[in-house]
């Protein structure tokens, strides 16, 4: 049954707790928050960039409305300086923030590490707001206008639904090639015993990779799969 007192307490305090937890996470994830040394006007530090990006995604707001929200948070002394909406847009193009975002995801999952025993991985596509023109490579003529889209490769815990890792790639990147990157060394922080995936991840390299991590792989074999004697014990 639903634990309504706990649910009510969580929902009525969610907004406040999110900001507090976010600040604590940024202190743990970012060791050197200072902006890169350069001539001219001083830029925004790394923690401010990540804080602004997380606030935008939490409220699901556009760039201009995010600036308005950040102004109020500035009055509450949660942020030292409010960037303009164009600066926030530039934060999303800063590739140096990607490893820190991945670290933030891992840190949010660690409190539930003792509970999880089974991980799962999958990939999904999602469209973005921009369009791209598709050209026939043979004739060089415009044929259609299609929306841009990307792929998300995520590793989760099956008991608590926590995210351990999330990797965004171009649309044509195969799921199987991203498993070592997405999984990485994350299992050493948890007590995982199994990893579940669909048939798209079925390959000898994947089984060997998971075996070295001490994980039992629950992945269906593809039709026509075969094994040699030297790999029998590994599969």
């Amino acid at each position: 049954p639903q634990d309504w007192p706990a649910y009510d307490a969580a929902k009525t305090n969610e907004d406040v707790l999110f900001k507090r937890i976010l600040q604590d996470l940024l202190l743990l994830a970012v060791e050197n928050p200072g902006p890169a040394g350069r001539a001219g006007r001083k830029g925004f530090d790394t923690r401010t960039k990540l804080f602004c990006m997380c606030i935008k995604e939490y409220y699901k707001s556009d760039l201009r409305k995010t600036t308005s929200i950040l102004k109020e948070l500035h009055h509450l002394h949660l942020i030292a300086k409010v960037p303009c909406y164009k600066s926030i847009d530039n934060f999303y193009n800063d590739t140096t923030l990607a490893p820190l975002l991945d670290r933030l995801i891992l840190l949010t999952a660690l409190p539930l590490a003792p509970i999880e025993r089974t991980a799962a991985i999958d990939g999904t596509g999602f469209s973005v707001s921009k369009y791209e023109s598709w050209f026939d490579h043979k004739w060089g003529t415009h044929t259609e206008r299609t929306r841009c889209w990307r792929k998300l490769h995520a590793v989760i815990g099956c008991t608590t639904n926590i995210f351990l890792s999330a990797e965004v790639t171009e649309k044509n990147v195969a799921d199987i090639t991203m498993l070592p990157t997405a999984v990485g060394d994350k299992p050493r922080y948890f007590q995982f015993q199994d990893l579940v995936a669909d048939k798209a991840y079925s390959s000898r390299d994947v089984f060997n990779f998971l075996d070295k991590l001490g994980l039992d792989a629950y992945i269906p074999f593809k039709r026509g799969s075969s094994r040699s004697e030297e790999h029998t014990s590994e599969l």
Side-chain angles (χ1 to χ4, degrees):
Q2 177 72 36
D3 186 348
W4 287 107
Y7 178 83
D8 293 340
K11 297 302 291 185
T12 54
N13 294 282
E14 176 186 332
D15 190 87
V16 175
L17 290 174
F18 170 77
K19 298 184 182 71
R20 291 179 181 175
I21 294 173
L22 177 59
Q23 287 185 311
D24 291 341
L25 288 171
L26 290 174
L27 289 174
L28 292 173
V30 183
E31 298 179 356
N32 181 18
R38 60 186 177 86
R41 186 172 57 183
K42 184 179 180 181
F44 293 93
D45 61 77
T46 304
R47 287 177 185 155
T48 298
K49 292 179 181 180
L50 292 171
F51 184 85
C52 294
M53 295 167 67
C54 290
I55 290 296
K56 178 185 182 303
E57 300 305 324
Y58 177 75
Y59 287 102
K60 298 181 174 63
S61 58
D62 57 49
L63 293 169
R64 291 171 176 82
K65 186 176 179 179
T66 300
T67 301
S68 176
I69 296 171
L70 291 173
K71 288 179 180 179
E72 181 62 25
L73 297 181
H74 174 64
H75 293 316
L76 296 174
H77 306 290
L78 295 178
I79 183 173
K81 184 180 178 183
V82 179
C84 70
Y85 66 92
K86 292 183 178 179
S87 295
I88 299 174
D89 189 33
N90 291 332
F91 297 164
Y92 280 85
N93 295 318
D94 187 349
T95 56
T96 63
L97 299 180
L100 295 174
L101 287 169
D102 192 56
R103 178 167 171 78
L104 282 174
I105 293 173
L106 178 62
L107 288 173
T108 60
L110 287 179
L112 298 172
I115 302 175
E116 284 294 351
R117 294 295 184 273
T118 303
I121 184 173
D122 203 0
T124 184
F126 61 94
S127 61
V128 297
S129 59
K130 297 181 180 180
Y131 287 87
E132 61 182 353
S133 298
W134 185 85
F135 288 86
D136 186 290
H137 292 283
K138 183 175 181 180
W139 303 106
T141 56
H142 177 69
T143 56
E144 62 177 324
R145 185 167 176 258
T146 59
R147 187 180 289 275
C148 298
W149 61 282
R150 299 292 182 264
K151 290 186 73 174
L152 172 68
H153 308 265
V155 181
I156 67 165
C158 294
T159 302
T160 60
N161 297 327
I162 54 174
F163 274 74
L164 280 71
S165 176
E167 298 285 342
V168 179
T169 65
E170 296 294 333
K171 60 185 178 181
N172 57 349
V173 176
D175 293 350
I176 195 171
T177 62
M178 288 302 299
L179 185 141
T181 301
V183 174
D185 63 346
K186 305 298 189 304
R188 71 187 181 93
Y189 297 101
F190 299 82
Q191 299 179 20
F192 286 132
Q193 299 174 353
D194 312 314
L195 185 136
V196 180
D198 58 29
K199 197 178 297 185
Y201 295 90
S202 181
S203 80
R204 181 173 286 113
D205 290 338
V206 167
F207 281 104
N208 291 338
F209 173 78
L210 296 177
D211 182 64
K212 292 178 181 178
L213 293 176
L215 298 177
D216 293 329
Y218 288 86
I219 305 174
F221 292 108
K222 297 178 181 178
R223 180 178 297 180
S225 297
S226 62
R227 58 183 181 178
S228 61
E229 294 182 359
E230 58 180 326
H231 292 94
T232 298
S233 62
E234 297 177 356
L235 297 179

